[in-house]
Amino acid sequence: MKKSKLFLLFLIVINLLLYGVPLYHSYNSFQNLVLDRIDATQITSIRVLKSSNEQDIKVDDPKEIEKIIHEFSDVKLKRSGASERPAETYWIRIYVNKDQRFGMTLYGTDYLYFSDRSSNSKYHSGNFKITSKFDGESIISLFK
């Protein structure tokens, strides 16, 4: 009887590891991916390329950088294998101490591809669906 309870406990632990860990890593946030890894004041510039007209904007004003980072700071993400490809896409590069550290591709206001150039972990890059309120105004307004 004691061996069967121990075996059952073992099976439960294995199931938690097999299903719980990937599920835990499927939810993320901009806060976790960027702001927990660097001090936002280390961001020296942000470059944004708009896909429809290939216009490239470099933001190096600290107040404008803060505005962009603040808008992204509350973004909640869920790992997603598929994404809709809207008409408008923005390629965003975040520079820390003048070196490119993070790369993002914003598909409309619904999907985000994220990559941390200093990390090889599969949990710090990938496609995400934006699950929180986000209108992307700080990025869109750069091109008006």
Side-chain angles (χ1 to χ4, degrees), residues 60-116:
D60 51 12
D61 175 28
K63 289 186 181 191
E64 193 67 28
I65 291 171
E66 183 181 347
K67 178 182 167 189
I68 293 169
I69 295 302
H70 178 70
E71 183 178 18
F72 276 98
S73 67
D74 292 330
V75 169
K76 303 292 184 226
L77 304 165
K78 182 179 188 294
R79 194 167 289 279
S80 173
S83 65
E84 299 170 16
R85 302 289 188 216
E88 204 58 77
T89 301
Y90 298 91
W91 291 286
I92 304 164
R93 293 169 298 210
I94 298 174
Y95 292 82
V96 175
N97 298 326
K98 303 197 188 241
D99 291 323
Q100 184 180 341
R101 171 70 189 269
F102 302 104
M104 300 187 305
T105 305
L106 181 62
Y107 301 103
T109 57
D110 297 320
Y111 291 92
L112 180 78
Y113 174 80
F114 177 84
S115 175
D116 181 349

Side-chain angles (χ1 to χ4, degrees), residues 3-133:
K3 285 186 179 185
S4 64
K5 286 183 182 182
L6 193 58
F7 182 71
L8 183 60
L9 180 64
F10 175 75
L11 287 177
I12 291 171
V13 169
I14 293 297
N15 277 326
L16 284 174
L17 290 174
L18 288 175
Y19 297 106
V21 171
L23 182 62
Y24 170 77
H25 285 292
S26 69
Y27 291 93
N28 225 320
S29 69
F30 185 82
Q31 175 74 36
N32 182 38
L33 292 172
V34 176
L35 299 177
D36 287 351
R37 296 168 186 277
I38 62 164
D39 181 353
T41 61
Q42 294 176 311
I43 298 173
T44 51
S45 65
I46 297 175
R47 292 191 71 124
V48 183
L49 176 71
K50 184 177 180 181
S51 66
S52 64
N53 62 7
E54 295 189 16
Q55 186 178 1
D56 192 1
I57 303 276
K58 181 180 180 183
V59 178
D60 51 12
D61 175 28
K63 289 186 181 191
E64 193 67 28
I65 291 171
E66 183 181 347
K67 178 182 167 189
I68 293 169
I69 295 302
H70 178 70
E71 183 178 18
F72 276 98
S73 67
D74 292 330
V75 169
K76 303 292 184 226
L77 304 165
K78 182 179 188 294
R79 194 167 289 279
S80 173
S83 65
E84 299 170 16
R85 302 289 188 216
E88 204 58 77
T89 301
Y90 298 91
W91 291 286
I92 304 164
R93 293 169 298 210
I94 298 174
Y95 292 82
V96 175
N97 298 326
K98 303 197 188 241
D99 291 323
Q100 184 180 341
R101 171 70 189 269
F102 302 104
M104 300 187 305
T105 305
L106 181 62
Y107 301 103
T109 57
D110 297 320
Y111 291 92
L112 180 78
Y113 174 80
F114 177 84
S115 175
D116 181 349
R117 295 177 55 105
S118 72
S119 175
N120 292 331
S121 171
K122 70 178 182 177
Y123 299 116
H124 298 125
S125 67
N127 287 310
F128 296 92
K129 176 157 180 47
I130 297 172
T131 59
S132 59
K133 184 178 179 233

